[in-house]
Amino acid sequence: MSFSVHDVARLHTGSLHSCYQMPLPYNCGLTVQTVEDERLVESGWHVLSSARSRGYATEAAEAVREFARELGVDHLIAIIRPNNVASQRVATKIGLTLEREVHKNGGPALIFGADLSQ
């Protein structure tokens, strides 16, 4: 399976939109990441600082998680820096749990994940 952050997420409206094309102060999507020699599907989200603490990241991440499930993704992860507490909260809110700590892209990273096949 191949994804990029330009993939689409089914939002609460039921229509398909590219998260980068939405007129909202965030973007989201799925990417395939290599973590310790294993290729995993990651849900990623980014929110402008001026729009944080309004639930945008959680709403977008929930939509992307459901889209991943619809695509048949068995296991979804989020790669989060240890000091990014806000993203850790988002990951927890969408049902991901801390699985392990790794070294990724030059520093420590936390891998949150969840099985979607159930």
Side-chain angles (χ1 to χ4, degrees):
M1 227 176 254
S2 175
F3 305 102
S4 76
V5 290
H6 294 283
D7 282 315
V8 294
R10 191 175 309 275
L11 300 177
H12 58 66
T13 61
S15 61
L16 295 174
H17 299 279
S18 167
C19 288
Y20 272 124
Q21 294 173 354
M22 289 188 291
L24 297 174
Y26 65 85
N27 60 56
C28 59
L30 298 171
T31 59
V32 176
Q33 297 283 342
T34 300
V35 178
E36 297 180 325
D37 298 323
E38 183 179 9
R39 292 184 53 79
L40 300 168
V41 178
E42 179 195 24
S43 173
W45 51 87
H46 304 93
V47 178
L48 296 175
S49 58
S50 61
R52 292 183 183 153
S53 298
R54 296 183 189 173
Y56 293 138
T58 301
E59 181 180 358
E62 286 173 342
V64 169
R65 182 200 61 215
E66 291 310 310
F67 183 59
R69 185 187 319 265
E70 290 173 14
L71 290 174
V73 172
D74 292 327
H75 190 78
L76 185 67
I77 66 162
I79 302 170
I80 304 170
R81 293 286 175 213
N83 63 344
N84 190 343
V85 177
S87 282
Q88 292 175 41
R89 278 194 303 269
V90 171
T92 301
K93 287 179 183 179
I94 68 164
L96 307 182
T97 59
L98 180 61
E99 295 181 342
R100 63 186 185 236
E101 185 172 340
V102 299
H103 187 82
K104 180 112 175 104
N105 298 327
L110 304 175
I111 305 300
F112 283 76
D115 289 328
L116 302 182
S117 58
Q118 303 162 0

